Amino acid sequence: MRRHRRYAGWAAALAVLATALAVPALAQPEHEEDRGSAARSIEWHDCADPDFKQMQCGSIPVPVDWSQPDSGSLTLSLVRRPADDGAHRQGALLLNDGAGGSSIEQLRLAMRIGLPQFAGDMTRKFDLVAVDPRGVGHSTPIVCGEELKPAGVSHFPQDQAAFDRLAAHNRAFAEDCLRRNGPLTGRVDLTSTARDIEAVRIGLGERQLNWYGIHYSTLLGRTYARLYPGALRTMVLDTALDDTAPPLSQVTREAAAAETAFNRFTAWCATSQDCALYGKDAAAEYDALVALADREPIPTGGLAHRPLTGEDIREATQDYLTLSGLTWPELARAVVNAQKGDATAFTRDPDNTLDPVQVQVPACLDSARPVQTFAQLAELQRELARVSPHLGGAVRSYKALAGCLGSPLPSMPVTAGPPVHGAPPALILQSTRQALAPYEAGPAMAAQLPGSVVLAREGDDYSMFLLSQCVRDATNHYLTTVTLPTPGTTCTT
């Protein structure tokens, strides 16, 4: 393995049967070029990495461009943890962390916190297979030389000149990525990645896969199910996203969800001595810090990162709101340290399995481009300031939108909304309050996967398999029996 990561707030690695023994027949590949994947095989060897003892590490080549399979290839990296109870093994469970996220590093973190000790049937009866998507992590990665947002460039331009600087920089960033990575830069989209998953299924020798997708990988799972009807036995979708709404509505809804999470964070600070801002007005302290940093950027304690503006701090805040028991205390300490003149904590994403460049490049391919002019962006900013007065709408979907302005990369969003035929009824795990996605995104995903059930979990967290015994029980029951919880069920523990 090439990279080692510290703690991230991992999640876990994480529909009744039509007839008792029936397995849906796999459809023929929708695209002629996909048939070539059948000739590929996974090369396995014992992992040398100490975190992956008694596991198998593998790789498989896939075409860079599935429409031209002979024009070049890339390598996907995998780690497989065999089921503990091989005699009662029920298949392979594919772990996928989504755009810019290394599933292999997520598995590493899961093993370090003792996954087999609490996972139950997930590790007893299923091979866990972590695959780093194309362009990400240990697979052939996207590596770019330009900064995503250098000094003097703002994602929240206040005039036409600043808007033009942003667009020019985004164009230069994309052109640099294209020079360094070639055609792969324009082929890290959801559809290409889903076709890779089919090559992995064939390479594993599995008639059907079981799917555990987190956040962006909920969209990947749905895309794979649409392309390959019958290829999935089960789908567990943790913190589903909703890409059925108009693009600007998606940004606004995410901003409102993150603002609600911030308000809950500040309310927690008012009552918990675990908050470094306890006894103070945490919201006022945060707002004052942002204003101070906008006047005079705050140093980061070294030469690796430039001093941070208030915009930088706001853009780093959302990911600190995703795990109330873990990242909320970190956010409070980050604010206090920045007040003292060291903003280093705001240069680190709490989920250290993500690569910001490998998040941004696919975003420009998978997202529509609803904003073309400064006037349109200014109107969006005003709406975001209204629904998100503290964070100002500095959320992932807005950063992706702003980071694609002026980009020469094509926009090729997948079809969203219509029912996906041939997909299994999914178990969708959705927190009632979450900084990354509103609860309503769960039902929106369920509506696309007929027969699916949203299992609500009362709280502020994602990656609920890690945190909730109720969620673990429901997930394992679904994985082993393909039986979903009663609609309307809410986990309170």
Side-chain angles (χ1 to χ4, degrees):
M1 293 299 126
R2 189 176 64 253
R3 301 186 301 180
H4 294 269
R5 301 288 194 174
R6 69 175 184 90
Y7 148 77
W10 175 76
L14 1 158
V16 181
L17 288 172
T19 63
L21 298 176
V23 175
L26 290 178
Q28 290 299 311
E30 186 172 311
H31 300 271
E32 179 67 29
E33 63 267 20
D34 293 340
R35 296 193 176 105
S37 66
R40 307 287 183 173
S41 62
I42 300 173
E43 296 185 5
W44 294 107
H45 59 272
D46 291 339
C47 294
D49 192 311
D51 284 326
F52 300 133
K53 289 179 181 178
Q54 299 180 321
M55 300 188 202
Q56 299 164 315
C57 291
S59 62
I60 183 172
V62 293
V64 170
D65 185 345
W66 279 98
S67 68
Q68 302 180 59
D70 296 326
S71 64
S73 66
L74 61 94
T75 299
L76 301 178
S77 291
L78 309 87
V79 172
R80 177 167 62 184
R81 182 189 185 278
D84 291 328
D85 185 357
H88 298 94
R89 177 185 178 276
Q90 290 189 256
L93 177 63
L94 199 71
L95 308 178
N96 203 293
D97 193 40
S102 168
S103 302
I104 290 173
E105 292 305 318
Q106 289 282 323
L107 178 60
R108 182 195 304 282
L109 295 169
M111 296 307 299
R112 287 182 177 179
I113 63 173
L115 176 68
Q117 283 69 54
F118 64 80
D121 282 338
M122 178 185 279
T123 49
R124 272 197 298 269
K125 295 184 178 180
F126 294 87
D127 295 346
L128 301 187
V129 181
V131 184
D132 277 0
R134 58 171 52 213
V136 171
H138 301 279
S139 295
T140 302
I142 293 288
V143 179
C144 305
E146 292 280 336
E147 288 186 65
L148 275 174
K149 192 184 73 171
V153 171
S154 171
H155 284 158
F156 291 82
Q158 298 302 301
D159 55 36
Q160 184 67 50
F163 179 89
D164 291 343
R165 282 195 299 274
L166 172 61
H169 168 70
N170 291 343
R171 185 163 50 252
F173 171 82
E175 289 170 350
D176 173 76
C177 292
L178 286 163
R179 283 192 298 270
R180 292 172 184 268
N181 304 282
L184 177 60
T185 307
R187 294 293 177 184
V188 288
D189 56 291
L190 279 171
T191 299
S192 297
T193 304
R195 292 179 185 164
D196 293 346
I197 299 301
E198 178 65 357
V200 169
R201 182 192 66 80
I202 294 170
L204 289 170
E206 298 288 338
R207 179 167 178 76
Q208 291 180 302
L209 291 173
N210 300 279
W211 185 275
Y212 195 113
I214 302 172
H215 196 244
Y216 206 77
S217 274
T218 64
L219 305 182
L220 178 59
R222 181 206 58 199
T223 302
Y224 177 65
R226 187 184 299 279
L227 284 173
Y228 301 100
L232 291 175
R233 172 180 170 271
T234 59
M235 294 178 73
V236 181
L237 305 180
D238 184 334
T239 311
L241 299 181
D242 177 16
D243 59 349
T244 64
L248 295 185
S249 295
Q250 294 176 41
V251 177
T252 304
R253 291 175 186 178
E254 183 184 348
E259 186 74 13
T260 298
F262 179 83
N263 291 337
R264 288 182 58 77
F265 158 74
T266 59
W268 167 78
C269 276
T271 60
S272 175
Q273 294 186 32
D274 291 335
C275 177
L277 294 167
Y278 177 71
K280 301 178 181 179
D281 183 335
E285 295 288 318
Y286 178 87
D287 291 345
L289 175 66
V290 168
L292 172 65
D294 275 334
R295 292 193 300 271
E296 184 175 350
I298 300 173
T300 56
L303 300 177
H305 296 276
R306 58 178 172 79
L308 300 189
T309 65
E311 178 182 317
D312 297 327
I313 290 171
R314 286 190 289 116
E315 288 190 336
T317 298
Q318 182 186 22
D319 285 340
Y320 273 109
L321 297 170
T322 56
L323 292 164
S324 57
L326 297 171
T327 57
W328 285 12
E330 289 188 7
L331 174 56
R333 289 192 293 271
V335 171
V336 169
N337 289 336
Q339 289 173 329
K340 295 176 180 177
D342 183 0
T344 303
F346 286 108
T347 67
R348 296 192 295 260
D349 190 324
D351 186 346
N352 229 7
T353 66
L354 294 174
D355 183 298
V357 167
Q358 293 167 6
V359 171
Q360 181 62 42
V361 174
C364 290
L365 305 177
D366 293 328
S367 303
R369 306 279 175 85
V371 171
Q372 302 294 330
T373 67
F374 170 64
Q376 291 171 331
L377 189 63
E379 182 179 355
L380 175 59
Q381 289 178 32
R382 287 190 291 271
E383 177 61 12
L384 294 177
R386 184 186 69 81
V387 302
S388 179
H390 296 293
L391 301 185
V395 293
R396 288 187 182 187
S397 57
Y398 178 83
K399 287 186 287 184
L401 180 152
C404 297
L405 291 169
S407 173
L409 295 173
S411 174
M412 47 179 118
V414 299
T415 301
V420 178
H421 301 292
L427 174 61
I428 300 171
L429 309 175
Q430 205 80 2
S431 286
T432 55
R433 300 175 298 276
Q434 226 295 305
L436 294 177
Y439 174 79
E440 292 75 18
M445 177 62 76
Q448 299 171 73
L449 303 168
S452 296
V453 168
V454 179
L455 177 63
R457 196 261 175 163
E458 185 70 28
D460 302 89
D461 308 311
Y462 86 131
S463 295
M464 288 155 276
F465 188 88
L466 172 67
L467 301 169
S468 167
Q469 185 64 52
C470 172
V471 169
R472 284 194 289 273
D473 290 344
T475 299
N476 280 322
H477 186 63
Y478 169 65
L479 288 174
T480 54
T481 69
V482 201
T483 302
L484 290 161
T486 302
T489 302
T490 297
C491 286
T492 57
T493 60

